[in-house]
Amino acid sequence: MFLRKLIILFSVILFAANSFASKLSGRITDKKNEPLAFLTVNIEGTTVSTMTNMNGEYFLELKDGFYHVVFRYIGYRTETRNMEIRGDDVTLDVIMEPQAIVLVEANVNGNGEDPANEIIRKAQQKRKFYLEQVKKYSCDVYIKGMNYAENVPKSILGRNIEIDGLDKNRSGIVYLSESVSRLHFEAPNKRKETVISSKVSGKSQAFTWNSAIDFDFNFYEPNIEVSFAERNFISPIAPSAMLHYRYKLVGAFYEDTVLVNKIEIIPRVKGSPVYNGFIYIQENTWRIHSLEFYLTRESNIEFLDTLRIKQVYIPVTQEVWMKGTQNFNFKFDVKLLGFKGNGYFNGVYSKYDLGPEFSKKFFKAEKVKVEENSNKRSEEYWNDVRLVPLTPLEVQDYEKKDSIEVLKESKVYMDSIDTKKNKYRVSNFIFGYTMRNTYKNIDWNIPTLFEILQFNTVEGIVLNPTYSVEWEHKELKKRLRIDNTFRYGFSSQKFYGKLGFNYRFNAINRMNIRAEVGKFVSQYNEANPIAPFINTLYTVFLEKNYLKIFEKTYANLGWGREIFNGVTLNTGVEYAARNPLVNASNLSALYVDGKNNEFTSNNPQNPASDLAAFVPYRAFTFSASVRIRFGQKYYLYPHEKITSSSKYPVIRIGYEKGIAGIFKSKTNFDFVSLSVEDDMKLGVFGTSEYTVSVGKFLNSNTVPFVDYRHFMTSEVILAPQRLSAFRALPYYRLSTTGEYLEAHYEHHFNGFLFGTIPVWKKLGWQPVAGSHLLLDFRNNHQYVEVTAGLEHIFKIGRVDFVAAFENNHKARTAIRISLGF
């Protein structure tokens, strides 16, 4: 019996020893001893891969055995080394030889066509096959992202810019993060990612923003959607690629027995959404072997100066090659804000499983799930799973930020930083002021001078001091916001005030409760179509008082939450005593031009009458709305859900009721509405967005003008930029209690029309066009606007020309200026 136990114990020890992984590591250089960064290292016959770091260093954890280690680097000959691992760590340095490109004899046809074109045609014919070859798979993805700032401004518009990691020259690593994910795919386009491990330098409680799904570029797709440009980019082997690219066969080389063609891709027209660089196509199979593309500002990418993309494919089986490594290397220079720097994201794909079993509900709505304890992995764990070695700069960043994190999370340190940041400056008087308690995660906010100091024809000069307090739980994401506003009009000699709060219970279903009480003034259209500051400018300098307000003493209560994924419910009740207001009589001294022109009255229905707009009354109203987006995808972090895309439009259903008899309420109506909205990415042609809504009063026994259906619009040149707004419809001109249809459409060309014209490309201005429609069925009235404009003017501006028509007759034209990022 003892001998049997001894044999079992010896077997367990022997098994443990044989299963213990040894480290294979080394440095990869060229003949000049220069490191080769982002080189792919693969164990032949497996999907175990890694990538070298910026210093050419790599390592792999391997169990005992014999291995063929393959080193692939674009532009260099593939090297294979046979290694035996027997319990000890092994160092294997490799000097890579430049790839001997064989200049292929150009069999130019009668049209003088480069032979690369025929290779591309064959790759195009096989594109769909390779796109659909693998019906499903799972794989591990290791991503390391690093952003290095070369210059960060000290402040923007009076706001201090403080970023961890900057040295005295305002440079340093501002983001360093690693992640390990399991990526799942099922044809045609189902994807799901589980983030197993997450590490962010200096922020042990934070979760990475690395995403294998967002990092997954597949050039077998005809168009590739990118986050750094407004148009999809065209693959060099897309069906229409010949219209956008010229091709040049540089040469060919053998990798083992496989001939690989090196083809230069050249945009036919500068400014088109296409790549520059080289694509490597295998002979006979016509699959992508590897690629190295780059984009510049000439490619109409945003915020980046250059972006370089490298992909290397590895054999998973004899017939299937999959992505082994991917590297994004970029430089950015945001001159408008003074930011400059560079960075990269490296991805290593390994442990492919081409036959995973997925349940029917596996690919439902959850796009990315970050596991609860993914950010609590030990340093020993990361040393084992890290597929790309850290550079000395990255090691230093981790050590420095992690060592002082405890200090930086202490109350004493946070208070000392707050003391510096919270110092009041002259610019805060104009641009607003925020005082922060970082330790408790509380902000106190005071708005800009333009919000505090106002003028209107009812109250005269107005002081409108407001302050808010906002708190958020750092982990659970609970949030409380309290707003308090006082108001005094020097001509009306009336004081007003209101107090409100909003409490969010969590950031998963975002259940919240809100309430507000006060005695205050309100625009008749409570969506506030004209900003008080804009009204002040127009009233004082142009003597046009567009703002129409009434007084209400009120209390309201609201509740909302996401009921199911993509379905959000919001409800609310309000009781208010509403009173009319009239213009003050002592305003002439404020006329800038001294002409003493007459203002319109404060009656939106009859601007020529100085009589009160209505008789005081009380109103009790109830409202409910449901927002529905079928097929909504989301990212699920511990304690937070971030919604993503859906191929379906957003549907909104609304109901409002005026309830008579409760607390002497006089309102008695029922109003229902339905709207549909969506934005559509049209590839190289740009993007379109639309919203269509219909509404009807089912019961209109007593509908005060405040509760009419009012439409968002603008009569001023400085207009709010929102799709669901008219640009030249007079305020309250078509407010109704009847049935209506409202529709808005805009198309953003995003470089499609003028992106290839050098002067336009340099300016970065983009054309935009739209149409806006309102049909009032009760009054048989039709209103149409046609707009044409330019956006991205100096990155943030937009100008539109508007032509308005009423009942098929031209009504007016206008110019509108707004923000247009």
Side-chain angles (χ1 to χ4, degrees), residues 94-110:
V94 176
I95 299 175
M96 301 290 286
E97 297 282 344
Q99 182 65 61
I101 301 294
V102 179
L103 298 179
V104 180
E105 182 179 351
N107 297 317
V108 179
N109 60 27

Side-chain angles (χ1 to χ4, degrees), residues 503-522:
Y503 180 73
R504 187 181 73 187
F505 293 86
N506 62 71
I508 302 294
N509 62 29
R510 298 184 179 273
M511 184 170 75
N512 66 88
I513 186 171
R514 53 198 180 275
E516 189 172 85
V517 295
K519 181 179 181 180
F520 217 74
V521 298
S522 173

Side-chain angles (χ1 to χ4, degrees), residues 188-211:
N189 55 9
K190 296 178 182 178
R191 287 179 173 82
K192 183 176 180 178
E193 175 186 2
T194 301
V195 179
I196 302 167
S197 313
S198 165
K199 184 176 178 64
V200 182
S201 180
K203 298 179 180 179
S204 62
Q205 300 303 311
F207 294 95
T208 183
W209 290 103
N210 299 348
S211 172

Side-chain angles (χ1 to χ4, degrees), residues 369-386:
K369 180 181 180 181
V370 180
E371 292 189 349
E372 179 80 28
N373 296 317
S374 61
N375 62 343
K376 295 180 172 57
R377 307 294 187 184
S378 66
E379 192 59 39
E380 291 75 15
Y381 168 88
W382 281 106
N383 288 336
D384 289 339
V385 304
R386 180 180 288 121

Side-chain angles (χ1 to χ4, degrees), residues 581-638:
L581 296 172
V582 297
N583 285 345
S585 58
N586 54 344
L587 302 176
S588 60
L590 291 169
Y591 293 154
V592 173
D593 60 7
K595 292 182 180 180
N596 197 24
N597 294 331
E598 290 187 4
F599 290 113
T600 58
S601 74
N602 190 47
N603 185 339
Q605 291 179 286
N606 189 0
S609 172
D610 291 325
L611 297 177
F614 59 87
V615 176
Y617 64 95
R618 297 179 182 182
F620 188 83
T621 55
F622 167 80
S623 65
S625 65
V626 178
R627 179 189 184 274
I628 304 171
R629 186 154 203 180
F630 298 107
Q632 175 179 274
K633 303 292 185 181
Y634 60 86
Y635 295 72
L636 186 62
Y637 290 80

Side-chain angles (χ1 to χ4, degrees), residues 651-654 671-676 692-696 740:
I651 299 173
R652 300 179 192 271
I653 303 171
F671 172 75
V672 293
S673 62
L674 171 68
S675 69
V676 180
V692 179
S693 62
V694 294
K696 181 178 181 178
Y740 69 88

